[in-house]
Amino acid sequence: MTTSSSSPSLLNDGAKTYSHSAHDPVNSPTSSLFSDFGALSLSQRRKQAPNPAASEFIPKGAPRMASMAQQAVQAFPSPLFPHPAMSTSTAAALAPGMSLSAGSSPLHSPKITPHTSPAPRRRSHTPNPNPANYMVPNNATDQAGAPIIQKETVGGTTYFYTDNTPAPMAGMVFPTYHIYPPTAPHVAYMQPKANAPSFFMVDELRQELINRHLITMAQIDHSENPDVPSEVDSYHSLFPLEPLPPPNRLQKTSNFSYITSCYKAVNSKDDLPYCLRRIHGFRLVNTKCMMLVDMWKKIQHSNTVTLREVFTTKAFGDHSLVFSYDFHAGAETMFSRHFNDPTADSFFTKRKWGQHEPPPPRQHAGLLPESLIWAYIVQLSSALRTIHTAGLACRVMDPSKILITGKTRLRVNCVGVFDVLTFDNSQTNHLALMPQYQQADLISLGKVVLALACNSLAGIQRENLQKAMELVSINYSSDLKNLILYLLTDQTRLRSVNDIMPMIGARFYTQLDASQMRNDVIEEDLAKEVQNGRLFRLLAKLGTINERPEFQKDPTWSETGDRYLLKLFRDHLFHQVTETGSPWIDLSHIVACLNKLDAGVPEKISLVSRDEKSVLVVTYSDLKRCFESTFQELLAAANGSL
């Protein structure tokens, strides 16, 4: 198992400390909008405490702003995001309102130069994450008078700069801890499912992601598959993505004229999964073809599977050529998605004498909807446009080499294979035939579109073309018919993929709109899950403290002192009961209490002992102090400091 510095760490997360003099919530490279809200400066001059009975967390999408306005939180007399140089506090303790799991330290490097001084770094952070700045009038600078010269010392160097940050408007109130907002209206009204879960992502997206993770982590039992090597070049953990061909197989694939097999493997250089396409029994006699491979490696497009490297190997017992591509878990070919039904070819099957011809298929009754076909056309033409612009040709525009992920996302696979397999060393200009191959790409695109319109590969056979075009004319628009005719008909001049753009027309904007709406839905699902990791780390820390049987040879450690408060808080979180003694299960209560603990709000709660003989009234800030000090004690013992 490998570890990464970017992954969340329970120990490092608990070891962070907060200091006003070291934290810049606006310009810190580790800051975020949520840590900005958590780092709001709570003035000690506030006289009125928040209302403990306020309904800060409403689980079913009721208006939050109304409930937030009811909280007795005064307007901040000082700037909401004070500059570190203007703060007088130098204590290293966690301040109220600071998240336990948010980063708090800017980068302190002794090699800092005037080019990376604090003022230029602030100017480069755009847009400004300070929410108060979006409500400042344009003449705020004029009202404030002359600009203030600020001083800051970073890495032993003192910088003087002008702080042009506008002051926030008076009377602005923000929550002192994390609150789940309701679903954005532009997403709420576009969702067809009214009973979608409100706290977590939709089940369909969750299941799709789980399946991708499952496929990515799948491994093979080498005892039952001895023919699969454990390591090939710098790749290990090979897993077949296709049924392995039998050892005595003599027939070759119809696409590459060679026997091929496909594996998922992990590269030991970066620990990332890749897709390996093996060409059986191919001996590479000249490395000049690597010039074309380098051209393919430079192509990065959302509708192509990127080629990473090509190498030869004898790990399979023969001379094999291996192409390494990006791995897209859960992808299936267009052939398996749309052309795997043998009954779909019945319309083009010749009838015997006396047999009645069945009625032709219709849209949504045997044929694909036209909107789906246009979505495929936009993506495939976009991929061809990028490939042709780079001076290359696809040469694998075939349903068996087009991958579909999700519902409509296409990627052209196996690019660059033909360029290596058919490389002619005798030619001086190896790109001379590319225009001819590009014209063949357009013909192949027309065949793919016609096959999709007929929902059958039999429709692209020469003897069935007339019948297939009649089927397209009856069921689809004239634009789709004209596009197919243009791609399949011989032209007197060289054609370009840009020529079909007028035929696509405004349908391009339809696909762009659908893509952006999909992005909005996924961002909304991400917003539901963005706080779950932080809450999990809080529960993990709390679990290391509660009910610990022994610590430093003290069996009563978890039942005394600050640990006893945390035990009662655990009961307050999970062991609530109703008036009749039944368990009271409320997820919103658990989430709200954890968020208040994380922020250390001054709200008071009553913690009742299990025998109900004592009641302790404490604030969340007190609990946070106990929580942090106790976990730091455990952390010091784990590191051997005690």
Side-chain angles (χ1 to χ4, degrees):
M1 181 179 294
T2 60
T3 59
S4 174
S5 60
S6 60
S7 60
S9 173
L10 175 61
L11 300 181
N12 294 336
D13 193 46
K16 294 177 182 177
T17 58
Y18 174 79
S19 173
H20 282 293
S21 60
H23 180 69
D24 186 353
V26 178
N27 305 290
S28 173
T30 58
S31 66
S32 65
L33 183 59
F34 300 104
S35 59
D36 291 339
F37 282 163
L40 296 180
S41 177
L42 299 178
S43 175
Q44 299 296 330
R45 294 174 298 196
R46 287 163 43 193
K47 301 298 183 181
Q48 188 175 2
N51 181 11
S55 178
E56 296 90 351
F57 189 91
I58 303 177
K60 295 184 178 180
R64 263 62 167 187
M65 295 306 296
S67 61
M68 288 170 54
Q70 295 174 3
Q71 299 180 25
V73 181
Q74 296 181 355
F76 296 98
S78 59
L80 290 176
F81 299 87
H83 194 274
M86 301 175 64
S87 176
T88 58
S89 174
T90 57
L94 283 159
M98 178 57 190
S99 174
L100 291 173
S101 55
S104 58
S105 298
L107 295 176
H108 291 275
S109 173
K111 299 180 181 180
I112 193 168
T113 65
H115 300 288
T116 56
S117 61
R121 284 188 287 116
R122 284 179 179 81
R123 288 194 293 269
S124 65
H125 280 246
T126 56
N128 193 340
N130 185 348
N133 291 343
Y134 298 108
M135 302 180 64
V136 177
N138 296 330
N139 58 352
T141 305
D142 299 336
Q143 297 174 1
I148 302 176
I149 303 299
Q150 301 288 352
K151 180 178 73 172
E152 182 174 351
T153 301
V154 179
T157 304
T158 302
Y159 299 93
F160 297 88
Y161 60 92
T162 302
D163 190 358
N164 296 322
T165 304
M169 294 180 61
M172 298 181 63
V173 178
F174 293 98
T176 57
Y177 59 93
H178 298 292
I179 299 178
Y180 282 78
T183 303
H186 68 281
V187 177
Y189 283 99
M190 78 169 65
Q191 289 182 343
K193 299 179 181 180
N195 296 326
S198 58
F199 291 142
F200 306 103
M201 68 174 65
V202 294
D203 294 336
E204 182 181 4
L205 178 59
R206 180 186 299 277
Q207 189 62 42
E208 180 180 349
L209 295 177
I210 291 176
N211 290 338
R212 292 182 184 180
H213 296 167
L214 181 65
I215 296 173
T216 303
M217 303 304 296
Q219 296 184 1
I220 194 173
D221 187 357
H222 287 279
S223 61
E224 298 182 2
N225 298 271
D227 296 334
V228 179
S230 59
E231 188 173 348
V232 177
D233 199 66
S234 60
Y235 297 87
H236 61 89
S237 303
L238 273 69
F239 181 84
L241 298 176
E242 298 174 350
L244 294 177
N248 56 353
R249 178 180 174 182
L250 298 179
Q251 65 270 22
K252 301 177 181 180
T253 60
S254 59
N255 295 96
F256 302 126
S257 299
Y258 285 91
I259 301 175
T260 65
S261 56
C262 189
Y263 303 88
K264 173 189 72 69
V266 178
N267 193 340
S268 57
K269 297 179 181 178
D270 54 14
D271 290 332
L272 297 178
Y274 293 91
C275 177
L276 302 183
R277 172 69 63 175
R278 174 196 172 198
I279 310 297
H280 296 229
F282 183 87
R283 185 189 296 268
L284 187 65
V285 296
N286 198 305
T287 59
K288 290 184 179 180
C289 61
M290 292 302 165
M291 173 195 68
L292 298 176
V293 173
D294 292 336
M295 295 177 64
W296 276 111
K297 289 163 65 174
K298 296 178 181 178
I299 294 182
Q300 301 284 339
H301 192 269
S302 58
N303 297 119
T304 60
V305 182
T306 304
L307 175 63
R308 295 302 175 182
E309 65 173 326
V310 180
F311 59 91
T312 58
T313 182
K314 295 182 180 179
F316 295 94
D318 64 349
H319 293 276
S320 296
L321 183 66
V322 179
F323 294 79
S324 176
Y325 296 92
D326 288 347
F327 177 64
H328 297 278
E332 59 179 326
T333 64
M334 180 182 287
F335 179 85
S336 63
R337 169 84 59 101
H338 296 297
F339 305 112
N340 205 19
D341 185 8
T343 61
D345 299 335
S346 59
F347 179 72
F348 299 98
T349 303
K350 292 184 178 180
R351 302 291 186 274
K352 295 181 180 180
W353 185 84
Q355 288 183 338
H356 297 285
E357 186 171 339
R362 300 285 182 178
Q363 277 199 65
H364 307 287
L367 296 182
L368 299 178
E370 185 170 353
S371 59
L372 178 62
I373 298 177
W374 282 112
Y376 289 166
I377 293 173
V378 170
Q379 297 179 72
L380 293 177
S381 61
S382 177
L384 285 182
R385 181 178 180 273
T386 300
I387 293 172
H388 291 180
T389 303
L392 297 169
C394 176
R395 305 180 69 181
V396 286
M397 188 61 64
D398 185 88
S400 63
K401 297 297 177 287
I402 299 175
L403 299 182
I404 303 179
T405 54
K407 295 183 178 180
T408 60
R409 179 68 178 275
L410 296 187
R411 289 182 175 90
V412 181
N413 193 22
C414 295
V415 294
V417 174
F418 270 118
D419 293 329
V420 177
L421 298 184
T422 62
F423 185 80
D424 189 0
N425 190 35
S426 62
Q427 292 184 351
T428 57
N429 184 8
H430 302 289
L431 300 178
L433 295 178
M434 285 301 170
Q436 178 181 346
Y437 295 147
Q438 291 175 358
Q439 298 300 305
D441 284 345
L442 298 178
I443 297 177
S444 300
L445 176 61
K447 292 181 179 180
V448 170
V449 176
L450 179 59
L452 290 170
C454 299
N455 199 22
S456 171
L457 292 177
I460 62 176
Q461 298 178 5
R462 184 176 297 274
E463 62 272 13
N464 295 328
L465 284 179
Q466 183 67 28
K467 196 173 184 180
M469 291 307 302
E470 293 177 358
L471 188 64
V472 173
S473 302
I474 296 174
N475 293 278
Y476 297 104
S477 65
S478 59
D479 288 340
L480 184 60
K481 175 185 175 182
N482 294 335
L483 183 141
I484 296 174
L485 290 175
Y486 178 80
L487 293 175
L488 296 180
T489 305
D490 293 333
Q491 303 290 332
T492 57
R493 64 177 182 85
L494 290 178
R495 294 170 296 177
S496 171
V497 69
N498 295 328
D499 297 340
I500 67 175
M501 286 301 297
M503 304 178 190
I504 297 176
R507 296 178 181 88
F508 174 81
Y509 298 104
T510 302
Q511 300 305 318
L512 180 62
D513 178 58
S515 177
Q516 292 177 340
M517 291 177 65
R518 172 66 173 169
N519 183 66
D520 290 340
V521 173
I522 294 179
E523 282 187 356
E524 188 65 28
D525 287 329
L526 175 63
K528 298 175 183 177
E529 304 284 335
V530 71
Q531 301 294 341
N532 291 356
R534 178 179 55 83
L535 296 180
F536 168 76
R537 289 191 291 273
L538 284 175
L539 289 177
K541 292 179 182 180
L542 194 62
T544 60
I545 299 173
N546 292 136
E547 306 294 345
R548 179 170 287 275
E550 183 182 5
F551 180 72
Q552 299 293 332
K553 299 181 180 181
D554 183 6
T556 62
W557 178 82
S558 62
E559 302 290 334
T560 58
D562 294 343
R563 283 79 61 189
Y564 183 67
L565 286 178
L566 296 177
K567 175 183 177 180
L568 296 183
F569 177 72
R570 192 270 312 271
D571 292 343
H572 176 77
L573 269 181
F574 303 110
H575 301 159
Q576 297 270 5
V577 295
T578 62
E579 298 165 346
T580 60
S582 302
W584 183 64
I585 309 298
D586 188 358
L587 180 61
S588 63
H589 164 75
I590 297 174
V591 173
C593 291
L594 286 175
N595 283 326
K596 293 176 183 179
L597 173 68
D598 192 18
V601 298
E603 180 182 330
K604 296 180 179 180
I605 59 172
S606 300
L607 301 179
V608 184
S609 62
R610 294 187 175 183
D611 57 7
E612 298 183 354
K613 293 183 179 180
S614 59
V615 178
L616 302 178
V617 179
V618 296
T619 63
Y620 282 99
S621 59
D622 296 331
L623 288 173
K624 179 179 180 179
R625 176 186 54 78
C626 299
F627 183 77
E628 269 295 286
S629 61
T630 303
F631 186 76
Q632 290 297 330
E633 186 179 355
L634 289 176
L635 192 62
N639 295 332
S641 302
L642 294 180

